[in-house]
Amino acid sequence: MEVIRGVRQMQEKALTVRAAGRSIALVPTMGFLHEGHLELMRVGRRLCDVLVISIFVNPTQFGPSEDFDQYPRDEEGDLQKARDVGVDLVFIPTAREMYPEGFQSVVHVERVTQGLCGTSRPGHFDGVTTVVAKLFNIVGPDVAVFGQKDYQQLTAISRMVTDLNMPIKIVGVPTVREPDGLAMSSRNKYLDQEERASALSLKKSLDLAERMLAEGETDAGVVRQAVESLILEHPHTRIDYVTLCDPVSLEEVTRLGEETLLALAVHVGRTRLIDNRVIRKGTPGPPEGEGAS
């Protein structure tokens, strides 16, 4: 496994790989790797000849009051995990390398970034799409792999690739969960024991909505109210948003259709967590007290 820190060096390496007729899969990450990231890498490993990951905590997608400085980092541990899963190349640039003096260009995706996290994190998705566009230009992947836990991010990147005619296949991988059902996230480390128990309300609320739809409830307002009540029954929770929307356009709906995205953002203590599920008519909800990951 080779570690590359310079943009030019990464571009030259990628050009060499492609000149040899080998395909490239890219998994962009912000590091502090967990099993969710590793699953994305396994998917990329199966799809292409060469697997590249990036590790870069991107400052432009953090707001002024967010946790950029505190965001967990563990380069040594990340490199060992990447090596174990079969990564070929690891790109670890600095912020100055990615955003040199005078940098002033932004990739902006319009409508799908407006609601959900876009409401409470203004500018966040401009930071995401800009850095991902840069990574695509630097690495030149045939395939890029992202997690469905960050559903709006995946949607925005897919829209960008389609709109800008980027010759890259975007692959979304289902959310990987802890044994107790909590969606894996680097921010889970911030939770103490009591907050961790309350964080399970996100997964429980997804299960509840699925059961309600299976039992015939299609009024989005009724489902949303039930979900919010369940979450707020748990201590340390504060809802950022509970949204039922079209899974393609991300526009809010008043009635649940054949497929409806339920997306959540909840502060548990000082930690902001997100989760989501596309719930479908005709899909039995999990029994009370249970739930598939």
Side-chain angles (χ1 to χ4, degrees):
M1 187 178 78
E2 184 177 352
V3 177
I4 300 173
R5 299 183 186 273
V7 167
R8 184 178 297 276
Q9 291 81 358
M10 184 68 247
Q11 286 178 314
E12 290 173 351
K13 185 70 176 183
L15 288 171
T16 299
V17 169
R18 296 181 68 84
R22 306 179 76 195
S23 59
I24 298 174
L26 171 66
V27 179
T29 84
M30 293 207 299
F32 207 71
L33 303 179
H34 52 65
E35 184 60 29
H37 296 114
L38 302 185
E39 180 60 20
L40 304 184
M41 295 174 202
R42 294 185 191 104
V43 171
R45 175 79 282 163
R46 292 195 296 267
L47 293 175
C48 291
D49 302 316
V50 175
L51 175 58
V52 181
I53 72 166
S54 60
I55 298 175
F56 178 60
V57 183
N58 176 35
T60 66
Q61 68 189 67
F62 288 79
S65 62
E66 294 183 335
D67 59 346
F68 175 74
D69 290 332
Q70 289 76 38
Y71 194 85
R73 296 162 170 86
D74 179 17
E75 183 177 306
E76 184 177 346
D78 288 345
L79 291 176
Q80 185 57 56
K81 291 172 183 173
R83 190 175 292 110
D84 290 345
V85 88
V87 172
D88 297 300
L89 300 168
V90 184
F91 179 45
I92 313 180
T94 62
R96 179 172 290 276
E97 186 76 11
M98 291 294 281
Y99 301 110
E101 185 175 354
F103 185 89
Q104 54 193 288
S105 300
V106 173
V107 178
H108 175 69
V109 176
E110 286 280 355
R111 292 188 296 276
V112 297
T113 65
Q114 296 309 300
L116 307 178
C117 290
T119 300
S120 56
R121 303 185 72 188
H124 168 72
F125 287 109
D126 283 356
V128 169
T129 47
T130 299
V131 77
V132 171
K134 286 176 64 66
L135 290 170
F136 287 172
N137 285 331
I138 294 164
V139 177
D142 300 274
V143 173
V145 187
F146 296 86
Q148 292 176 0
K149 182 178 79 71
D150 296 290
Y151 194 100
Q152 190 175 20
Q153 171 181 280
L154 175 61
T155 300
I157 290 167
S158 298
R159 186 76 261 165
M160 174 184 75
V161 166
T162 297
D163 290 350
L164 300 185
N165 306 108
M166 297 180 174
I168 301 167
K169 180 180 180 181
I170 302 299
V171 175
V173 177
T175 301
V176 178
R177 297 183 181 276
E178 304 280 2
D180 59 7
L182 183 64
M184 287 193 173
S185 169
S186 299
R187 289 185 169 94
N188 290 350
K189 75 178 291 290
Y190 298 154
L191 301 169
D192 63 29
Q193 187 174 357
E194 190 172 294
E195 290 168 346
R196 171 73 182 236
S198 289
L200 297 179
S201 63
L202 278 74
K203 170 63 162 53
K204 292 175 184 176
S205 69
L206 299 177
D207 294 342
L208 172 62
E210 197 163 63
R211 284 197 303 274
M212 292 179 71
L213 179 60
E215 293 166 1
E217 182 58 72
T218 61
D219 187 310
V222 172
V223 175
R224 183 184 302 108
Q225 185 175 31
V227 165
E228 291 176 347
S229 295
L230 187 153
I231 291 170
L232 295 175
E233 286 172 1
H234 294 71
H236 313 295
T237 57
R238 177 169 57 87
I239 293 172
D240 184 344
Y241 64 78
V242 171
T243 303
L244 289 143
C245 58
D246 181 277
V248 177
S249 69
L250 304 188
E251 294 176 354
E252 285 196 59
V253 298
T254 57
R255 302 205 72 83
L256 279 61
E258 291 299 319
E259 292 190 341
T260 304
L261 174 68
L262 171 57
L264 314 169
V266 179
H267 294 270
V268 183
R270 299 176 63 185
T271 305
R272 184 179 183 274
L273 301 176
I274 60 172
D275 208 341
N276 68 77
R277 183 180 299 165
V278 177
I279 54 179
R280 297 173 172 87
K281 284 186 177 179
T283 302
E288 195 73 40
E290 299 182 12
S293 64

